[in-house]
Amino acid sequence: QVRLVESGGGLVQAGGSLRLSCAASGRTLSSYVMGWFRSAPGKEREFVASISWSGSSTSYADSVKGRFAISRDNAKNTVFLQMDSLKPEDTAVYYCAAGPNHSTRPLAYGYWGQGTQVTVSS
């Protein structure tokens, strides 16, 4: 069993930055692909970024490519999402997730955190 807890969300002006963290307990994250997803009001949960278990491979949604960066520290059992040049359309609840293989589909991930709110004002 893996327990994931996100932190680092908040209110920021457009153009600003936030760094989200996802801390795991219960089992080491080193054998899992980690993903970040987000849910905005009235929209389905969408893929944001993912990172391989070693950290050598990353993937991003087109909407965040060049602005967001995912990273992980397996020694600290933590995954990060650095978000720069934030836009109002990035406003959503952000979730981290753990799964056996890379996927952009939420159903492919078996473990989820409770989410952290990110609000970007214009």
Side-chain angles (χ1 to χ4, degrees), residues 8 10 14-15 19-20 23 26 32 43 51-52 56 64 85 90 97 101 117:
R19 189 190 196 204
L20 305 184
Y32 292 96
K43 295 185 178 181
I51 187 167
S52 62
S56 61
V64 307
S85 302
D90 294 319
N101 299 296
Q117 176 70 47

Side-chain angles (χ1 to χ4, degrees), residues 8-11 18 20 39 41 90-94 114-120:
L11 173 64
L18 283 174
L20 305 184
S39 292
D90 294 319
T91 295
V93 177
Y94 283 71
Q114 83 291 345
T116 184
Q117 176 70 47
V118 171
T119 303
V120 185

